[in-house]
Amino acid sequence: MAAHHQGLGSMLGVLPSKGTQLAKQMRELGVACTQDESAFSSILRQSCAGAALNEQDVAEVLIMMAQTQHAAASSSSGSGGDGAGAGGQSVLAKTLAALMNSGAGGAAAVAGGKGGKGGGAAGGIAGGGDANQQAPGNTSTTLSSAGWNWRIVMDVIKAATPGLNWARVAELMDHPSFSIPDPFGFALLASAYLYAAGERLPARAFCGRVWDNHAGQLSFLRLAVTADPELFTFHTCERMAPPVEGMQHAGKSATGTPNQAWLSIDLLQVLCYLFVEPGHQPIVRQMLQNALKECPEVLLVSMAAVPPMEWSLLQREVFSLLLPLHLSSNSPVSQAVLRRLWAGSPALVVEALVEYFAQDGGNLPRVLDICQDLQALNGVLSMAPYAFSLELAVLAASRELLDLEQWATDLMTQDAVHFVTALLAFMDVRIAPEQPPGQVPLAEASVRALLRALQPMRGQIPGDVGQLLKKVQEQVVRRFPALAPLVSGNEPFASEVEDEANNHFQKIYSQEEPIEEVVQLLQSFKASNNAHEQEVFACMIHNLFDEYRFFPRYPDKELHITALLFGALVGHQLVSSITLGMALRYVQEALAKPPGSKMYAFGTVALRQFVGIAHLWPQFCTRVLQIPHLRKMDSDLYQRVQQNMRDHGHPVPTLPEDSHPSVAAAAAAAANSRGGLPGAVVAATSVGGGLSSLPPGIPTQTTPGQQGAAPTTAAAAAARACEAPGITGPYQAWLTGGRAGAAPAPNASTLMQAHSNAAAGNGAAVGGVTALPGGANAAGAGMGGDSGGNSKMQSLGDGEGADQVGRALADEVAASSLQPMNASSSSNIGTSRPPTLAALVTTESLESAAEKADKGKAPPENVQDRVHFLINNLTEDTVALRASEIKAKVVPEFMEWFANYLVVKRAAQEANYHRLYIALVDRVSDKELMRLLSRTTHYYVHVLLHSERIVKESNDRALLKNLGVWLGLLTLARNKPILG
């Protein structure tokens, strides 16, 4: 017995306090010391040596009694005493019965009176029987009367220390020794506190925050959720979800359980946090079992009210388990739950609807029915990814619930940059006669409405996206001949228009027309009511932008003239919105070329023409000021941009004084190694040259037929003016897309891949549809030689280029940096993220090491492609969704492969996205993945540190730096050792 007591003492971790000394003596003496008030008073005096107990001391005594109650009852011989008082069965017995039967049946009212002070656990376990015997759920069952006489303990303590703060006593339960092993201990703790404080244990002390002692807190909560409300209730928590109305249809309570545990947002948030620790997950899941059986609706609604957290894996489990049940049901209860969720967590409902459709395209009618029931169609359309919104909008229009043309036109106005790309990708797939099960091709009425919505974009879609438009138009004409006039409404420039535009260019390059006169002429043409003059204006702008790909081949004199004209177009605001954004991108790209190169000279001359108004596009200025060699080579121009930013209240980025021009040289070399200019080229290549185009949108490569393509109008004029041979040149364009407020959207190929894989996310398509034949390189082959100057390109808007909306859109287009092909997979079209210096460095050392490393079992190619797609289109808004799918496809079978991919292909090369990838890993929430990531990172750090290249190659050092930052985020940032 002494050995047993000594073990309990060591378990409690004895501290040099009065409470610890008292608790230790009580444990050593056993329950007998509490059977007489005078005896316990004597023990208290000896332990405290005349000093008064404080709240911490009392808390430790309560903890000790709760922990040892079952053992104490078992070791005692069941001495007498009425315990329960005259009122019948005690609160302790009733609560214990309810706890041990998992909430079956409620307890009767609390018995009145203090009861006797005699032997046995006063007010505790009454009646005869074995203390180890489990009590059934009915409240009339008698239980054993044994264990600590907590009434005497509380009476003596209150008499000795009348001024105790009992709320503070409850707070101090967060103690290293705290643990409630069984219902006996819980019942004692709750009963003793109720008796002494005159009120129940405050719920906020146990779930108002996450304790330092996680295991102890969870040991209490697992018993508290099934407690009788007369003894413990959660309704006093600071954050409580309102009762769920409508539960009467299913004969259920609006509060869930009598103690309102599952309405407590505080409780659920603590459980979400504790669920992160793998050792706690079985206990938390067990706690939720009763809620899932008795009140799943209340659990779902309350869990939705918990603020999203990085550790909310438990939320995801609850949502994935319960939400589909209500989406597929039209019962009154499901309707009530969905209404409540939409009112409080609309983003959750939208995400669930997208996933529901992604699982089966045939669910779309049910999705629309839900939107109608919730009166939420417009809200869902505005929040969902474009690919899903388009599907839903088309169906709603077919039921005459939505004006499809007006809806698409409004989105074109709000977010033309991203919406047009998504719309064309959607039409390309949905016009095809072959459709996945559950879906049918678009009806003629829907296609007509969408084509009409595209009309305002005439001449605004650059060649890359224009190729996709061309393909869509061809499909439309084949499927719906009646729509041919609508498609062919975008005729090529008339020959007389081409001739007049070429004549002006001839005079420009022969210097017969000064630039100032040309600018005035263009201004008058743009403002003219004469259709012919407007056509000439559009043709000249289009042809000039179309020639950008050939500028590096221009002779110096002609290139200088072109730069003057190009900059003047921006300075006099002759181009606006998307076209203006493309112009700014071209200037920024040219400035990034090595000093002394033709394109660098072009960029500086062009920028000087509009540097006085450059502040209108702060993102453009910021990127220009981040070009290191510009400050060194053209300090006056650099300072003018800086001062302009300061004068208009924009933050000015700074470069370290030791910035070396080799940074820019490395970037230029990387661009040249990809073949040609890394520039986006504006060329409309639609059927008949019309409806053609959107800015940043789809990555493409030059097709073999484009190498050596003949120069068009402006280039030919320049060549004739200087008697130079025809100018030709390859090009490479990277464009971005997406949804407003989100990261860039995927390109055409990834949009189709998203369709076929039934995924969802901002800018990503959803639904089961097939991929484009040949991928984006087939669909968006760039500008073929046949397009020439026949496609129209007009500035968006009519004289409104200086308005705020136009400037913002232009700045957005200009800021969407040019992007190299994705290094992660030759089969993957590419990421839509801006490149970083790390993305430009070679990964030869890592790739070589990766070949030798044991990367584990690789998944099938389609799974690899899917993972590439998910990572490419990862944003802060889609982390949870992407993590869920990656966990389903990768974990645990291909875990080693994924860890290697994330380290080599992503973390080592994309330092700007480390925190996004860390957020993804946190969402996956797999301990083994964390271990593998750490191990894999250590391996490649070791490889780089011991590589002979590390001294000579700055690329390898950049990789090592990135991996060092990544390793720090995996370890030190989480308060974990690097070598764990």
Side-chain angles (χ1 to χ4, degrees), residues 463-464 466-467 683 685 700-703 706 731 776-777 779-784 787:
D464 304 87
Q467 284 292 331
T685 56
T700 65
Q701 287 181 308
T702 315
T703 59
Q706 290 172 281
Y731 79 98
N777 289 344
M783 291 178 292
S787 67

Side-chain angles (χ1 to χ4, degrees), residues 618-619 621-622 625 641-642 645-654:
Q619 290 188 64
C621 292
T622 297
L625 293 176
V641 176
Q642 270 189 327
M645 291 277 281
R646 290 194 185 98
D647 290 346
H648 292 85
H650 297 300
V652 178
T654 56

Side-chain angles (χ1 to χ4, degrees), residues 416-429:
V417 175
H418 305 124
F419 179 68
V420 175
T421 304
L423 174 58
L424 291 176
F426 168 78
M427 294 180 68
D428 178 54
V429 173

Side-chain angles (χ1 to χ4, degrees), residues 469-485:
L469 173 62
K470 179 178 179 179
K471 182 183 178 189
V472 169
Q473 290 173 324
E474 290 172 348
Q475 290 187 49
V476 169
V477 173
R478 285 196 300 268
R479 288 283 326 275
F480 308 108
L483 298 181

Side-chain angles (χ1 to χ4, degrees), residues 459-538:
Q460 289 303 310
I461 305 178
D464 304 87
V465 186
Q467 284 292 331
L468 180 57
L469 173 62
K470 179 178 179 179
K471 182 183 178 189
V472 169
Q473 290 173 324
E474 290 172 348
Q475 290 187 49
V476 169
V477 173
R478 285 196 300 268
R479 288 283 326 275
F480 308 108
L483 298 181
L486 185 59
V487 173
S488 61
N490 302 287
E491 65 280 3
F493 293 113
S495 58
E496 60 269 20
V497 173
E498 289 279 3
D499 291 342
E500 185 172 344
N502 291 341
N503 184 51
H504 284 296
F505 278 117
Q506 188 74 32
K507 292 179 179 180
I508 291 170
Y509 288 112
S510 63
Q511 296 184 308
E512 295 180 32
E513 285 186 356
I515 296 297
E516 293 79 7
E517 292 184 10
V518 175
V519 169
Q520 292 177 4
L521 180 69
L522 289 173
Q523 285 177 324
S524 66
F525 280 0
K526 182 180 181 182
S528 174
N529 293 325
N530 185 297
H532 174 78
E533 291 181 345
Q534 289 185 352
E535 288 286 288
V536 173
F537 170 81

